[in-house]
Amino acid sequence: MVNFVKSGAVLAALIFAYFLGLSNGRNSEELKNARLEITALTRTIQELKTKQTSDALALSELRVAESASRDELKRMRKQLSDIERMSKTDTDRERNRCLRLAIRYKEVVDRADRAIKFCAENHK
């Protein structure tokens, strides 16, 4: 009877050890998968931060270019205003209207160029 109890205890210990090892193995595999997922997510976050920095820089450059373009258009308008004040004939006035249209055209084209450039650089 003592041998039977000893055998039962050994068998119970073996079964317990088996389930404990199985549980540890499963936990170890889940931990390994979690670490791989964390690594992938960290890499993705870093890539997105880099992209955000790049977009912010491009936007900053776009704002500088837009400001320079506004300054140029302001200068052109002032110059046109000065010319209009000095114009005396219908021909002069007609030329001034053409110059005004040229300024508007340049303004629209500059705005479109900036938008196209920004999209081309940041939305590949």
Side-chain angles (χ1 to χ4, degrees):
M1 180 74 144
V2 174
N3 282 339
F4 180 69
V5 173
K6 284 183 180 178
S7 297
V10 169
L11 184 60
L14 281 173
I15 291 173
F16 177 73
Y18 172 76
F19 283 113
L20 185 63
L22 185 64
S23 175
N24 284 342
R26 209 176 294 133
N27 289 342
S28 175
E29 190 65 29
E30 288 175 4
L31 182 61
K32 182 178 163 185
N33 289 338
R35 284 185 179 144
L36 288 173
E37 193 170 327
I38 288 170
T39 302
L41 289 172
T42 303
R43 192 176 320 116
T44 301
I45 288 170
Q46 192 60 40
E47 289 170 1
L48 291 174
K49 281 182 181 179
T50 302
K51 177 81 169 108
Q52 182 183 18
T53 302
S54 171
D55 287 351
L57 182 62
L59 187 57
S60 174
E61 290 172 353
L62 183 64
R63 286 180 180 148
V64 168
E66 185 177 11
S67 177
S69 179
R70 273 195 308 266
D71 290 345
E72 174 66 13
L73 289 170
K74 185 178 177 182
R75 185 193 63 75
M76 290 172 73
R77 283 191 190 106
K78 184 181 178 330
Q79 191 176 29
L80 181 59
S81 178
D82 292 343
I83 292 170
E84 284 178 338
R85 261 197 321 271
M86 293 186 299
S87 65
K88 301 199 186 318
T89 65
D90 285 340
T91 306
D92 290 340
R93 288 185 191 96
E94 185 65 31
R95 186 190 71 227
N96 293 343
R97 270 184 291 235
C98 290
L99 290 172
R100 233 185 341 270
L101 286 174
I103 290 171
R104 286 185 190 151
Y105 169 78
K106 180 178 178 359
E107 191 174 39
V108 169
V109 169
D110 286 350
R111 209 176 281 155
D113 282 344
R114 285 190 307 274
I116 291 168
K117 182 180 176 186
F118 180 80
C119 288
E121 289 176 356
N122 298 292
H123 301 287
K124 296 176 183 174

